[in-house]
Amino acid sequence: MRMKGKNVIVTGGASGIGLASVERCLQEGASVVIADLEGSDGQDQAARLDDRYDGRCLFKACDVTDTAQVDRLFADSVAELGSVEAVFNNAGIGGICPSDEVTDEEYLKVIDINLNGVFRVARAALRVMYHQGGGSIVNCASILGVFGQSQTAAYTAAKGGVVNLTRTLAIEAAPKGVRVNAIGPGYIDTPLLEALDDEMLQGLVGLHPIGRLGRPEEIANAFLFLASDEASFVTGAHLLVDGGFTAGKS
């Protein structure tokens, strides 16, 4: 039970990679807060998982673009659970549009959720973890945090920012007992890909030397490692979990 007695917050925890990460932590003995938007499936998922596992599973509504909501998420989680040992900074959205056509509103929305939101959550987590003397923050970056891709200016800018933000936070936080790392997923088989036709889907599969898309639980396993004491000497890392996608592109 690698997370026995630990309390975890997962943003974007109501579906996909986030939900898989919530369940893996519960399987390893943690209590977990699902943080997601009001109106998401988070409340139902938390109730379902709370009945299944020994650790508590709670839902807290949180929009990561709102500093007050983020700060309240941590204050309420500490009030109910007593501490926060690990955070998966996972909330994010996609965005595909030619750079000469993307509007200010579209560009800034992606940046505010995928980069500024990561900072808001990390800042709130650091304040709690500094006070309690330790913890682990894992930011969800991307393969597109290390190289470019056409028509993804806002997304690649945000994810590249997450990678370097992670390094900077890791340097600051290490002397205070807090580790900060990032995960760079390849293309993962989640509901976000359901809108793609078969040709496009197979095209994505072909970009991964391992011959398939990733599964949400494979990213969850990487989060579990980085969040746990098994990764006690790992900080400032960007762990690529991408089926070899970036191996020939670096």
Side-chain angles (χ1 to χ4, degrees):
M1 302 290 276
R2 288 181 283 173
M3 301 294 284
K4 184 72 174 178
K6 295 183 184 293
N7 302 312
V8 182
I9 294 175
V10 179
T11 66
S15 63
I17 290 170
L19 183 60
S21 300
V22 168
E23 187 152 14
R24 282 297 288 122
C25 289
L26 288 164
Q27 289 167 354
E28 292 291 336
S31 291
V32 188
V33 175
I34 296 175
D36 215 312
L37 295 172
E38 190 75 61
S40 71
D41 198 29
Q43 187 69 61
D44 290 341
Q45 294 289 2
R48 175 180 68 86
L49 294 172
D50 192 55
D51 286 341
R52 181 177 296 181
Y53 296 101
D54 291 338
R56 297 180 64 190
C57 189
L58 312 172
F59 171 70
K60 303 289 184 186
C62 181
D63 181 343
V64 299
T65 68
D66 186 321
T67 296
Q69 289 190 39
V70 171
D71 291 345
R72 186 166 61 249
L73 165 67
F74 279 84
D76 290 351
S77 297
V78 170
E80 290 196 48
L81 299 177
S83 61
V84 177
E85 280 73 30
V87 171
F88 192 12
N89 217 339
N90 170 71
I93 61 171
I96 298 176
C97 186
S99 298
D100 61 326
E101 296 179 12
V102 67
T103 66
D104 283 359
E105 182 180 25
E106 293 166 338
Y107 181 88
L108 293 173
K109 179 180 180 180
V110 173
I111 295 292
D112 201 23
I113 295 172
N114 290 8
L115 178 57
N116 299 342
V118 167
F119 174 74
R120 292 184 188 98
V121 171
R123 178 178 58 190
L126 288 174
R127 289 168 176 166
V128 169
M129 291 175 180
Y130 286 172
H131 179 73
Q132 66 192 22
S136 175
I137 300 168
V138 181
N139 299 323
C140 194
S142 171
I143 52 174
L144 298 186
V146 294
F147 67 89
Q149 180 170 288
S150 179
Q151 302 188 48
T152 60
Y155 189 85
T156 54
K159 293 301 186 178
V162 169
V163 172
N164 226 29
L165 174 64
T166 297
R167 296 181 179 125
T168 295
L169 296 178
I171 294 167
E172 286 188 28
K176 300 182 180 181
V178 178
R179 296 182 298 105
V180 187
N181 292 288
I183 296 173
Y187 284 93
I188 307 301
D189 190 6
T190 69
L192 291 176
L193 299 184
E194 288 179 353
L196 301 181
D197 60 35
D198 188 63
E199 182 179 358
M200 293 180 67
L201 195 61
Q202 291 308 310
L204 288 181
V205 169
L207 295 173
H208 300 75
I210 208 167
R212 61 173 175 82
L213 300 180
R215 297 187 292 267
E217 59 267 26
E218 292 174 312
I219 307 303
N221 286 334
F223 164 65
L224 186 66
F225 166 68
L226 291 173
S228 76
D229 294 338
E230 293 178 357
S232 57
F233 198 56
V234 182
T235 196
H238 179 215
L239 177 59
L240 292 165
V241 187
D242 66 355
F245 189 108
T246 59
K249 298 179 175 64
S250 58

